[in-house]
Amino acid sequence: MNIYEILALIALGFILRRALKSEKPFVHLNKFASHVLLTLFVFSSIASKDLDYLIEIRVVFLCVFLIIALSLGSSFLYARLFVRDKEWAGTLMVLSTYPNTEAMGYPIASLFLDDLTPAIIYANINRLILLPIVTFVAAHYSIRKASLRESLTKALKFTPTSANLLALSLVILGIKLPGGLLEIMNGIGWWNIPLILIYFGSRINLEKFEWRKLFEVGIFRIALPFVFVFLTLNAPPEIFYAVLVEASMPPAIIANVILAHYGLREEEGIGITIILTLVVLFLFLLLRIDLINL
């Protein structure tokens, strides 16, 4: 799926919401896409891997881990010190930690790379690690005075998270499921992407948008990872640009789905995500032009 198709589906959701004048069809659409299709997609994507695959990509795994630690750690510290609104604190951490490494990452990486394998590896490992972490954070901040046990239980009730952990357990144990079955599950599950994009478009509401919150998410999700990778990663161009792009992507649409599931600031998150997506696209297009002119 390219950038134009992504924008078209978001626009379709925006138009349909105003034509139908009802949220109910989109609420049901989101539940089906995020609880059924996304569960199949996550499980089949991870279960199709093997332990050797995980070992071979340990260098990229390290990069993913460092970026997650940087974004999550810095946004958590900022929220503890300066954010009194618990719901926004949780929303900020989810948006700051979960990047759009696939729907946006792949098209933008293709501006710099002929071979997207490093970017795909980064995105796969990112998904392996982040989904359980982000759902736990969202669950924890959606409950007043939540205990660790309550937050963990609520996180596991989000079926894609349980599917993620189950598939990863099968990979570690060396249990292989029939390839044909996983292909069918992946093919069906893939449709979560266009359906969630339509839902995402239906929820666009910039009335609740605040510049301060945009700046906060932009710093922790985009600026810090970009500067960190740019200044520290000494690697061949195919690795450097793959990590630079994927690490600096705007918040993922799935992050907003998770916010909706746990009753956090979804509408604010979507407004911020839309604007940061356009900003990132513009910035990387400028970077590409500069590299051509060198």
Side-chain angles (χ1 to χ4, degrees), residues 70-85 88-89 92-93 96 141 211-217 219-220 224:
L70 176 65
S71 295
L72 180 59
S74 58
S75 60
F76 171 76
L77 183 62
Y78 176 86
R80 287 295 298 268
L81 294 176
F82 301 109
V83 179
R84 295 182 180 180
D85 183 342
W88 173 246
L92 173 62
M93 292 169 65
S96 298
Y141 280 87
W211 285 103
R212 177 182 61 82
K213 293 179 178 179
L214 174 74
F215 180 77
E216 289 171 346
V217 177
I219 288 291
F220 300 122
L224 282 179

Side-chain angles (χ1 to χ4, degrees), residues 12 34 38 41 45 49 58 63 67 78 86 99 103-104 111 135 139 196 225 237 257 274 278:
L12 176 61
S34 61
L38 180 59
F41 187 71
S45 297
K49 307 299 186 294
R58 58 186 179 276
C63 291
I67 295 301
Y78 176 86
K86 184 178 179 182
M104 277 296 293
L111 297 174
T135 48
I196 286 175
V257 171
I274 285 287
L278 296 175

Side-chain angles (χ1 to χ4, degrees), residues 29-239:
L29 176 72
N30 178 47
K31 286 182 179 180
F32 177 67
S34 61
H35 287 271
V36 180
L37 297 181
L38 180 59
T39 299
L40 292 174
F41 187 71
V42 168
F43 180 82
S44 59
S45 297
I46 297 172
S48 63
K49 307 299 186 294
D50 55 36
L51 192 56
D52 290 337
Y53 171 85
L54 298 181
I55 294 172
E56 286 175 4
I57 55 178
R58 58 186 179 276
V59 174
V60 178
F61 177 90
L62 177 62
C63 291
V64 176
F65 180 81
L66 290 174
I67 295 301
I68 291 174
L70 176 65
S71 295
L72 180 59
S74 58
S75 60
F76 171 76
L77 183 62
Y78 176 86
R80 287 295 298 268
L81 294 176
F82 301 109
V83 179
R84 295 182 180 180
D85 183 342
K86 184 178 179 182
E87 285 190 5
W88 173 246
T91 301
L92 173 62
M93 292 169 65
V94 169
L95 294 175
S96 298
T97 307
Y98 205 143
N100 191 345
T101 56
E102 297 179 10
M104 277 296 293
Y106 294 168
I108 291 180
S110 68
L111 297 174
F112 304 90
L113 305 168
D114 293 325
D115 180 10
L116 293 183
T117 300
I120 293 170
I121 290 173
Y122 187 104
N124 284 336
I125 294 304
N126 191 72
R127 189 193 311 122
L128 283 171
I129 299 171
L130 266 187
L131 191 56
I133 292 175
V134 169
T135 48
F136 173 79
V137 170
H140 181 75
Y141 280 87
S142 68
I143 308 173
R144 291 185 177 276
K145 297 181 180 180
S147 67
L148 182 64
R149 184 174 183 176
E150 288 174 322
S151 300
L152 181 60
T153 300
K154 194 169 184 181
L156 291 175
K157 287 181 179 179
F158 187 54
T159 50
T161 300
S162 300
N164 181 297
L165 296 175
L166 174 60
L168 184 58
S169 298
L170 294 177
V171 171
I172 293 172
L173 293 172
I175 300 174
K176 289 186 176 294
L177 297 180
L181 174 63
L182 293 176
E183 286 183 12
I184 293 172
M185 292 174 66
N186 194 264
I188 296 172
W190 179 88
W191 286 95
N192 84 89
I193 298 173
L195 293 183
I196 286 175
L197 286 169
I198 293 171
Y199 171 76
F200 183 84
S202 76
R203 301 296 294 171
I204 293 176
N205 181 2
L206 298 182
E207 292 179 2
K208 297 184 178 181
F209 167 76
E210 295 181 29
W211 285 103
R212 177 182 61 82
K213 293 179 178 179
L214 174 74
F215 180 77
E216 289 171 346
V217 177
I219 288 291
F220 300 122
R221 172 75 303 277
I222 298 166
L224 282 179
F226 183 94
V227 172
F228 176 77
V229 173
F230 189 83
L231 295 179
T232 63
L233 183 59
N234 183 16
E238 61 271 16
I239 299 295

